[in-house]
Amino acid sequence: MNSPSPSSTSSLSANAWSASRPPGHGRIEFAKTLDVDIGGGEFNVAYACTRLGLRGGFISKLPDNPVAKIILNHARAVGMDVSHVRLEKFDGVGRAGRVGLNFTEVGTGVRPSVTMYDRGHSSISLMKPDEIDWNVIFSGDGVRWLHTGGILASLSDNSAAVVKAACKAAREAGTIISYDLNFRGKLWSSQKAIATTKDIVPLLDVLIGNEEDFQKVLGFEVEGTDANLTELPVEAYKRMVERVVKTYPNIRAVCTTLREVKSGLINNWGGILWYEGNFYEARTFKDLEIEDRVGGGDGFSSGIAYGFVTGMNPADIVNFGAAHGALLQTTRGDTSQVTLDEVRHVMGGGSARIQR
């Protein structure tokens, strides 16, 4: 895949929200305090790529209020370009536009992690495609990689139109486009996801998703999986990917995470990359101990983007993505706290022995 050098801009389209969670493994219902984090499926990827050393930024729309500034401050702290974030006057209530909120309980044992959305009337969901000059971003600024996905597309018909407009402009400019299917059943139905995404997939280069994503967003079944998706036969996964790329010949790479859930805090974790007709499978992290699984898939996606942009070979790309995703799940919060050296250490088989 023709990719830019590490110094070239890697800009990634993102919605962003403020996330709140009870301390530890507490329940929202009984919380006396809530920890504030920043996240968003696309934002997380842009943030991680910037932290790893690429020039990254995000495109969004936010109300001009203190909650939105938490997001902007978090982005600026790691060096993200926020010049393409549109700020609108806040009406004081949030009827015209607000910051979407997300509440998360971190699961443990037999209790899974749970997400509750409070995202109605968010500014990004109300934004229209013509509010952004896409030609300036992709042709003028020379952005070489756009990442977006199903979470942004699911927020509203406007959001889906924004995603399609961004992808169309990026494709016309020769920008590489990665798209995380990221199905969220609380945000839209499978039927709506399939109907919307079928018009977006022909514009894409890199397709990312887990087993549920491919089923619920594209309608491709993974043969041999049970209803709870507790076991993931890799060969069945590969056959599904082959059907995907045959149906959509514009797709140049397909990345899938492999997660087997043993408990809320113990998962088997890995990933597969299809590229130029060949499959590359990452090392499997058996019995991975998890602090917070939310954001692990975004860690994988950002690792894949980083690998392609910096010119890694395909085997290293998928291993880099899996290692970054594994590390990201060792900390609380959606955005990466991982360094490039840490990813390389784990990718190379390094142990968790104390470093002094």
mmCIF file of all heavy atoms in Angstrom, residues 276-317:
data_model
loop_
_atom_site.group_PDB
_atom_site.id
_atom_site.type_symbol
_atom_site.label_atom_id
_atom_site.label_comp_id
_atom_site.label_asym_id
_atom_site.label_seq_id
_atom_site.Cartn_x
_atom_site.Cartn_y
_atom_site.Cartn_z
ATOM 1 N N GLU A 276 -3.082 -8.071 0.089
ATOM 2 C CA GLU A 276 -2.575 -8.526 -1.203
ATOM 3 C C GLU A 276 -2.690 -10.036 -1.370
ATOM 4 O O GLU A 276 -1.780 -10.717 -1.836
ATOM 5 C CB GLU A 276 -1.123 -8.066 -1.402
ATOM 6 C CG GLU A 276 -0.992 -6.553 -1.516
ATOM 7 C CD GLU A 276 0.426 -6.106 -1.852
ATOM 8 O OE1 GLU A 276 1.379 -6.888 -1.616
ATOM 9 O OE2 GLU A 276 0.577 -4.980 -2.360
ATOM 10 N N GLY A 277 -3.843 -10.575 -0.957
ATOM 11 C CA GLY A 277 -4.137 -11.980 -1.183
ATOM 12 C C GLY A 277 -3.603 -12.941 -0.147
ATOM 13 O O GLY A 277 -3.839 -14.155 -0.241
ATOM 14 N N ASN A 278 -2.895 -12.443 0.855
ATOM 15 C CA ASN A 278 -2.299 -13.309 1.872
ATOM 16 C C ASN A 278 -2.813 -12.951 3.263
ATOM 17 O O ASN A 278 -3.147 -11.794 3.538
ATOM 18 C CB ASN A 278 -0.775 -13.178 1.853
ATOM 19 C CG ASN A 278 -0.174 -13.657 0.537
ATOM 20 O OD1 ASN A 278 -0.446 -14.771 0.101
ATOM 21 N ND2 ASN A 278 0.632 -12.816 -0.090
ATOM 22 N N PHE A 279 -2.844 -13.968 4.148
ATOM 23 C CA PHE A 279 -3.241 -13.761 5.532
ATOM 24 C C PHE A 279 -2.011 -13.743 6.433
ATOM 25 O O PHE A 279 -1.073 -14.525 6.246
ATOM 26 C CB PHE A 279 -4.182 -14.876 5.998
ATOM 27 C CG PHE A 279 -5.570 -14.771 5.445
ATOM 28 C CD1 PHE A 279 -5.953 -15.517 4.341
ATOM 29 C CD2 PHE A 279 -6.505 -13.928 6.035
ATOM 30 C CE1 PHE A 279 -7.237 -15.432 3.829
ATOM 31 C CE2 PHE A 279 -7.787 -13.819 5.535
ATOM 32 C CZ PHE A 279 -8.158 -14.583 4.420
ATOM 33 N N TYR A 280 -2.051 -12.866 7.412
ATOM 34 C CA TYR A 280 -0.985 -12.763 8.405
ATOM 35 C C TYR A 280 -1.654 -12.762 9.771
ATOM 36 O O TYR A 280 -2.537 -11.944 10.043
ATOM 37 C CB TYR A 280 -0.171 -11.488 8.203
ATOM 38 C CG TYR A 280 0.422 -11.374 6.814
ATOM 39 C CD1 TYR A 280 -0.306 -10.793 5.777
ATOM 40 C CD2 TYR A 280 1.692 -11.874 6.536
ATOM 41 C CE1 TYR A 280 0.225 -10.696 4.496
ATOM 42 C CE2 TYR A 280 2.238 -11.773 5.256
ATOM 43 C CZ TYR A 280 1.493 -11.187 4.240
ATOM 44 O OH TYR A 280 2.019 -11.106 2.977
ATOM 45 N N GLU A 281 -1.229 -13.694 10.621
ATOM 46 C CA GLU A 281 -1.864 -13.840 11.932
ATOM 47 C C GLU A 281 -0.920 -13.390 13.036
ATOM 48 O O GLU A 281 0.252 -13.776 13.065
ATOM 49 C CB GLU A 281 -2.269 -15.291 12.159
ATOM 50 C CG GLU A 281 -3.121 -15.493 13.404
ATOM 51 C CD GLU A 281 -3.663 -16.905 13.504
ATOM 52 O OE1 GLU A 281 -3.629 -17.637 12.484
ATOM 53 O OE2 GLU A 281 -4.121 -17.285 14.610
ATOM 54 N N ALA A 282 -1.439 -12.560 13.917
ATOM 55 C CA ALA A 282 -0.629 -12.054 15.028
ATOM 56 C C ALA A 282 -0.435 -13.119 16.085
ATOM 57 O O ALA A 282 -1.177 -14.108 16.170
ATOM 58 C CB ALA A 282 -1.295 -10.833 15.656
ATOM 59 N N ARG A 283 0.570 -12.912 16.900
ATOM 60 C CA ARG A 283 0.748 -13.733 18.096
ATOM 61 C C ARG A 283 -0.523 -13.686 18.937
ATOM 62 O O ARG A 283 -1.159 -12.636 19.068
ATOM 63 C CB ARG A 283 1.922 -13.174 18.899
ATOM 64 C CG ARG A 283 1.957 -13.598 20.355
ATOM 65 C CD ARG A 283 2.853 -12.671 21.181
ATOM 66 N NE ARG A 283 2.745 -12.952 22.590
ATOM 67 C CZ ARG A 283 3.300 -12.199 23.538
ATOM 68 N NH1 ARG A 283 4.010 -11.129 23.202
ATOM 69 N NH2 ARG A 283 3.162 -12.507 24.813
ATOM 70 N N THR A 284 -0.903 -14.824 19.493
ATOM 71 C CA THR A 284 -2.061 -14.873 20.384
ATOM 72 C C THR A 284 -1.623 -14.592 21.817
ATOM 73 O O THR A 284 -0.696 -15.227 22.325
ATOM 74 C CB THR A 284 -2.754 -16.244 20.315
ATOM 75 O OG1 THR A 284 -3.224 -16.464 18.984
ATOM 76 C CG2 THR A 284 -3.935 -16.293 21.275
ATOM 77 N N PHE A 285 -2.278 -13.633 22.451
ATOM 78 C CA PHE A 285 -2.026 -13.330 23.859
ATOM 79 C C PHE A 285 -2.997 -14.168 24.680
ATOM 80 O O PHE A 285 -4.150 -13.793 24.877
ATOM 81 C CB PHE A 285 -2.213 -11.837 24.138
ATOM 82 C CG PHE A 285 -1.173 -10.969 23.489
ATOM 83 C CD1 PHE A 285 -1.334 -10.548 22.171
ATOM 84 C CD2 PHE A 285 -0.038 -10.574 24.185
ATOM 85 C CE1 PHE A 285 -0.380 -9.743 21.571
ATOM 86 C CE2 PHE A 285 0.930 -9.780 23.584
ATOM 87 C CZ PHE A 285 0.756 -9.365 22.271
ATOM 88 N N LYS A 286 -2.521 -15.328 25.125
ATOM 89 C CA LYS A 286 -3.358 -16.242 25.885
ATOM 90 C C LYS A 286 -3.583 -15.721 27.303
ATOM 91 O O LYS A 286 -2.647 -15.243 27.952
ATOM 92 C CB LYS A 286 -2.698 -17.625 25.963
ATOM 93 C CG LYS A 286 -2.738 -18.416 24.664
ATOM 94 C CD LYS A 286 -4.114 -19.031 24.452
ATOM 95 C CE LYS A 286 -4.100 -19.995 23.273
ATOM 96 N NZ LYS A 286 -5.432 -20.587 23.045
ATOM 97 N N ASP A 287 -4.824 -15.814 27.757
ATOM 98 C CA ASP A 287 -5.172 -15.422 29.134
ATOM 99 C C ASP A 287 -4.668 -14.021 29.457
ATOM 100 O O ASP A 287 -4.064 -13.778 30.505
ATOM 101 C CB ASP A 287 -4.616 -16.432 30.136
ATOM 102 C CG ASP A 287 -5.217 -17.816 29.963
ATOM 103 O OD1 ASP A 287 -6.414 -17.907 29.635
ATOM 104 O OD2 ASP A 287 -4.487 -18.810 30.132
ATOM 105 N N LEU A 288 -4.926 -13.096 28.525
ATOM 106 C CA LEU A 288 -4.527 -11.702 28.730
ATOM 107 C C LEU A 288 -5.308 -11.107 29.896
ATOM 108 O O LEU A 288 -6.544 -11.116 29.911
ATOM 109 C CB LEU A 288 -4.800 -10.891 27.460
ATOM 110 C CG LEU A 288 -4.474 -9.396 27.511
ATOM 111 C CD1 LEU A 288 -2.968 -9.189 27.644
ATOM 112 C CD2 LEU A 288 -5.009 -8.687 26.266
ATOM 113 N N GLU A 289 -4.591 -10.620 30.893
ATOM 114 C CA GLU A 289 -5.227 -9.989 32.050
ATOM 115 C C GLU A 289 -5.554 -8.535 31.703
ATOM 116 O O GLU A 289 -4.680 -7.772 31.322
ATOM 117 C CB GLU A 289 -4.304 -10.057 33.259
ATOM 118 C CG GLU A 289 -4.010 -11.475 33.707
ATOM 119 C CD GLU A 289 -3.031 -11.512 34.865
ATOM 120 O OE1 GLU A 289 -3.440 -11.142 35.986
ATOM 121 O OE2 GLU A 289 -1.883 -11.899 34.649
ATOM 122 N N ILE A 290 -6.817 -8.182 31.869
ATOM 123 C CA ILE A 290 -7.319 -6.897 31.383
ATOM 124 C C ILE A 290 -7.688 -5.984 32.544
ATOM 125 O O ILE A 290 -8.378 -6.395 33.482
ATOM 126 C CB ILE A 290 -8.550 -7.127 30.481
ATOM 127 C CG1 ILE A 290 -8.129 -7.873 29.205
ATOM 128 C CG2 ILE A 290 -9.225 -5.807 30.127
ATOM 129 C CD1 ILE A 290 -9.295 -8.319 28.364
ATOM 130 N N GLU A 291 -7.254 -4.752 32.455
ATOM 131 C CA GLU A 291 -7.688 -3.727 33.402
ATOM 132 C C GLU A 291 -8.978 -3.083 32.907
ATOM 133 O O GLU A 291 -9.879 -2.807 33.691
ATOM 134 C CB GLU A 291 -6.587 -2.674 33.569
ATOM 135 C CG GLU A 291 -6.931 -1.535 34.507
ATOM 136 C CD GLU A 291 -7.077 -1.984 35.955
ATOM 137 O OE1 GLU A 291 -6.512 -3.036 36.312
ATOM 138 O OE2 GLU A 291 -7.765 -1.276 36.723
ATOM 139 N N ASP A 292 -9.067 -2.835 31.598
ATOM 140 C CA ASP A 292 -10.246 -2.205 30.996
ATOM 141 C C ASP A 292 -10.221 -2.540 29.511
ATOM 142 O O ASP A 292 -9.343 -2.083 28.783
ATOM 143 C CB ASP A 292 -10.213 -0.696 31.227
ATOM 144 C CG ASP A 292 -11.413 0.029 30.625
ATOM 145 O OD1 ASP A 292 -12.346 -0.646 30.153
ATOM 146 O OD2 ASP A 292 -11.403 1.275 30.625
ATOM 147 N N ARG A 293 -11.174 -3.315 29.055
ATOM 148 C CA ARG A 293 -11.155 -3.769 27.657
ATOM 149 C C ARG A 293 -11.608 -2.698 26.677
ATOM 150 O O ARG A 293 -11.321 -2.789 25.476
ATOM 151 C CB ARG A 293 -12.019 -5.016 27.474
ATOM 152 C CG ARG A 293 -13.502 -4.808 27.719
ATOM 153 C CD ARG A 293 -14.318 -5.973 27.165
ATOM 154 N NE ARG A 293 -14.380 -5.950 25.714
ATOM 155 C CZ ARG A 293 -14.916 -6.919 24.964
ATOM 156 N NH1 ARG A 293 -15.392 -8.008 25.524
ATOM 157 N NH2 ARG A 293 -14.967 -6.807 23.661
ATOM 158 N N VAL A 294 -12.346 -1.683 27.137
ATOM 159 C CA VAL A 294 -12.858 -0.655 26.230
ATOM 160 C C VAL A 294 -11.693 0.099 25.586
ATOM 161 O O VAL A 294 -10.817 0.597 26.282
ATOM 162 C CB VAL A 294 -13.789 0.328 26.975
ATOM 163 C CG1 VAL A 294 -14.270 1.419 26.023
ATOM 164 C CG2 VAL A 294 -14.977 -0.424 27.553
ATOM 165 N N GLY A 295 -11.700 0.169 24.275
ATOM 166 C CA GLY A 295 -10.627 0.834 23.544
ATOM 167 C C GLY A 295 -9.596 -0.114 22.974
ATOM 168 O O GLY A 295 -8.718 0.301 22.218
ATOM 169 N N GLY A 296 -9.694 -1.416 23.317
ATOM 170 C CA GLY A 296 -8.723 -2.371 22.809
ATOM 171 C C GLY A 296 -8.747 -2.477 21.296
ATOM 172 O O GLY A 296 -7.700 -2.550 20.636
ATOM 173 N N GLY A 297 -9.938 -2.485 20.724
ATOM 174 C CA GLY A 297 -10.057 -2.540 19.275
ATOM 175 C C GLY A 297 -9.481 -1.307 18.597
ATOM 176 O O GLY A 297 -8.877 -1.402 17.524
ATOM 177 N N ASP A 298 -9.662 -0.149 19.222
ATOM 178 C CA ASP A 298 -9.077 1.080 18.681
ATOM 179 C C ASP A 298 -7.556 1.048 18.775
ATOM 180 O O ASP A 298 -6.855 1.597 17.928
ATOM 181 C CB ASP A 298 -9.624 2.303 19.420
ATOM 182 C CG ASP A 298 -11.124 2.449 19.267
ATOM 183 O OD1 ASP A 298 -11.645 2.060 18.208
ATOM 184 O OD2 ASP A 298 -11.780 2.937 20.205
ATOM 185 N N GLY A 299 -7.050 0.392 19.827
ATOM 186 C CA GLY A 299 -5.608 0.211 19.924
ATOM 187 C C GLY A 299 -5.085 -0.638 18.774
ATOM 188 O O GLY A 299 -4.026 -0.363 18.203
ATOM 189 N N PHE A 300 -5.829 -1.688 18.420
ATOM 190 C CA PHE A 300 -5.476 -2.516 17.277
ATOM 191 C C PHE A 300 -5.509 -1.693 15.991
ATOM 192 O O PHE A 300 -4.573 -1.732 15.179
ATOM 193 C CB PHE A 300 -6.455 -3.690 17.195
ATOM 194 C CG PHE A 300 -6.230 -4.611 16.023
ATOM 195 C CD1 PHE A 300 -5.212 -5.556 16.039
ATOM 196 C CD2 PHE A 300 -7.054 -4.558 14.919
ATOM 197 C CE1 PHE A 300 -5.017 -6.425 14.966
ATOM 198 C CE2 PHE A 300 -6.873 -5.415 13.840
ATOM 199 C CZ PHE A 300 -5.846 -6.351 13.862
ATOM 200 N N SER A 301 -6.585 -0.913 15.794
ATOM 201 C CA SER A 301 -6.743 -0.111 14.577
ATOM 202 C C SER A 301 -5.625 0.908 14.417
ATOM 203 O O SER A 301 -5.093 1.105 13.318
ATOM 204 C CB SER A 301 -8.094 0.615 14.600
ATOM 205 O OG SER A 301 -9.164 -0.299 14.612
ATOM 206 N N SER A 302 -5.270 1.577 15.518
ATOM 207 C CA SER A 302 -4.213 2.587 15.431
ATOM 208 C C SER A 302 -2.869 1.934 15.157
ATOM 209 O O SER A 302 -2.022 2.494 14.439
ATOM 210 C CB SER A 302 -4.155 3.423 16.716
ATOM 211 O OG SER A 302 -4.098 2.600 17.865
ATOM 212 N N GLY A 303 -2.658 0.735 15.696
ATOM 213 C CA GLY A 303 -1.433 0.010 15.404
ATOM 214 C C GLY A 303 -1.336 -0.372 13.943
ATOM 215 O O GLY A 303 -0.258 -0.308 13.328
ATOM 216 N N ILE A 304 -2.459 -0.769 13.346
ATOM 217 C CA ILE A 304 -2.490 -1.101 11.923
ATOM 218 C C ILE A 304 -2.171 0.136 11.093
ATOM 219 O O ILE A 304 -1.365 0.090 10.148
ATOM 220 C CB ILE A 304 -3.877 -1.661 11.538
ATOM 221 C CG1 ILE A 304 -4.133 -3.006 12.232
ATOM 222 C CG2 ILE A 304 -4.008 -1.783 10.025
ATOM 223 C CD1 ILE A 304 -3.222 -4.131 11.804
ATOM 224 N N ALA A 305 -2.808 1.271 11.411
ATOM 225 C CA ALA A 305 -2.541 2.511 10.677
ATOM 226 C C ALA A 305 -1.076 2.907 10.794
ATOM 227 O O ALA A 305 -0.427 3.252 9.797
ATOM 228 C CB ALA A 305 -3.443 3.630 11.192
ATOM 229 N N TYR A 306 -0.535 2.841 12.006
ATOM 230 C CA TYR A 306 0.865 3.193 12.220
ATOM 231 C C TYR A 306 1.777 2.281 11.401
ATOM 232 O O TYR A 306 2.743 2.734 10.781
ATOM 233 C CB TYR A 306 1.210 3.088 13.705
ATOM 234 C CG TYR A 306 2.653 3.447 14.008
ATOM 235 C CD1 TYR A 306 3.012 4.767 14.294
ATOM 236 C CD2 TYR A 306 3.651 2.477 13.994
ATOM 237 C CE1 TYR A 306 4.328 5.101 14.553
ATOM 238 C CE2 TYR A 306 4.976 2.801 14.263
ATOM 239 C CZ TYR A 306 5.304 4.114 14.534
ATOM 240 O OH TYR A 306 6.627 4.449 14.780
ATOM 241 N N GLY A 307 1.464 0.997 11.385
ATOM 242 C CA GLY A 307 2.297 0.054 10.657
ATOM 243 C C GLY A 307 2.340 0.334 9.168
ATOM 244 O O GLY A 307 3.419 0.328 8.544
ATOM 245 N N PHE A 308 1.194 0.606 8.570
ATOM 246 C CA PHE A 308 1.166 0.905 7.140
ATOM 247 C C PHE A 308 1.857 2.234 6.836
ATOM 248 O O PHE A 308 2.630 2.348 5.883
ATOM 249 C CB PHE A 308 -0.276 0.947 6.630
ATOM 250 C CG PHE A 308 -0.812 -0.394 6.208
ATOM 251 C CD1 PHE A 308 -1.927 -0.944 6.836
ATOM 252 C CD2 PHE A 308 -0.216 -1.107 5.178
ATOM 253 C CE1 PHE A 308 -2.420 -2.181 6.445
ATOM 254 C CE2 PHE A 308 -0.709 -2.350 4.772
ATOM 255 C CZ PHE A 308 -1.815 -2.881 5.414
ATOM 256 N N VAL A 309 1.571 3.246 7.646
ATOM 257 C CA VAL A 309 2.134 4.570 7.393
ATOM 258 C C VAL A 309 3.654 4.563 7.487
ATOM 259 O O VAL A 309 4.345 5.258 6.728
ATOM 260 C CB VAL A 309 1.529 5.604 8.374
ATOM 261 C CG1 VAL A 309 2.308 6.911 8.340
ATOM 262 C CG2 VAL A 309 0.074 5.877 8.025
ATOM 263 N N THR A 310 4.196 3.781 8.398
ATOM 264 C CA THR A 310 5.651 3.752 8.579
ATOM 265 C C THR A 310 6.347 2.694 7.738
ATOM 266 O O THR A 310 7.552 2.497 7.848
ATOM 267 C CB THR A 310 6.011 3.533 10.064
ATOM 268 O OG1 THR A 310 5.410 2.311 10.530
ATOM 269 C CG2 THR A 310 5.523 4.700 10.913
ATOM 270 N N GLY A 311 5.581 1.983 6.894
ATOM 271 C CA GLY A 311 6.191 1.066 5.948
ATOM 272 C C GLY A 311 6.598 -0.282 6.488
ATOM 273 O O GLY A 311 7.487 -0.936 5.928
ATOM 274 N N MET A 312 5.950 -0.751 7.561
ATOM 275 C CA MET A 312 6.243 -2.085 8.076
ATOM 276 C C MET A 312 5.792 -3.159 7.087
ATOM 277 O O MET A 312 4.905 -2.923 6.255
ATOM 278 C CB MET A 312 5.519 -2.322 9.403
ATOM 279 C CG MET A 312 6.009 -1.518 10.575
ATOM 280 S SD MET A 312 5.072 -1.991 12.068
ATOM 281 C CE MET A 312 5.716 -0.805 13.242
ATOM 282 N N ASN A 313 6.354 -4.351 7.188
ATOM 283 C CA ASN A 313 5.851 -5.462 6.388
ATOM 284 C C ASN A 313 4.560 -5.976 7.028
ATOM 285 O O ASN A 313 4.295 -5.726 8.215
ATOM 286 C CB ASN A 313 6.901 -6.571 6.252
ATOM 287 C CG ASN A 313 7.231 -7.242 7.577
ATOM 288 O OD1 ASN A 313 6.367 -7.816 8.238
ATOM 289 N ND2 ASN A 313 8.501 -7.185 7.992
ATOM 290 N N PRO A 314 3.719 -6.696 6.263
ATOM 291 C CA PRO A 314 2.400 -7.081 6.775
ATOM 292 C C PRO A 314 2.429 -7.890 8.068
ATOM 293 O O PRO A 314 1.575 -7.690 8.941
ATOM 294 C CB PRO A 314 1.815 -7.906 5.621
ATOM 295 C CG PRO A 314 2.502 -7.393 4.401
ATOM 296 C CD PRO A 314 3.888 -7.043 4.844
ATOM 297 N N ALA A 315 3.386 -8.819 8.200
ATOM 298 C CA ALA A 315 3.455 -9.627 9.428
ATOM 299 C C ALA A 315 3.721 -8.749 10.640
ATOM 300 O O ALA A 315 3.142 -8.954 11.713
ATOM 301 C CB ALA A 315 4.544 -10.692 9.290
ATOM 302 N N ASP A 316 4.600 -7.769 10.492
ATOM 303 C CA ASP A 316 4.887 -6.864 11.601
ATOM 304 C C ASP A 316 3.713 -5.936 11.881
ATOM 305 O O ASP A 316 3.457 -5.572 13.038
ATOM 306 C CB ASP A 316 6.149 -6.045 11.313
ATOM 307 C CG ASP A 316 7.415 -6.860 11.473
ATOM 308 O OD1 ASP A 316 7.352 -7.934 12.093
ATOM 309 O OD2 ASP A 316 8.468 -6.416 10.973
ATOM 310 N N ILE A 317 2.993 -5.540 10.824
ATOM 311 C CA ILE A 317 1.851 -4.643 11.009
ATOM 312 C C ILE A 317 0.807 -5.264 11.926
ATOM 313 O O ILE A 317 0.348 -4.644 12.889
ATOM 314 C CB ILE A 317 1.219 -4.277 9.643
ATOM 315 C CG1 ILE A 317 2.137 -3.342 8.856
ATOM 316 C CG2 ILE A 317 -0.149 -3.612 9.850
ATOM 317 C CD1 ILE A 317 1.688 -3.092 7.435
#
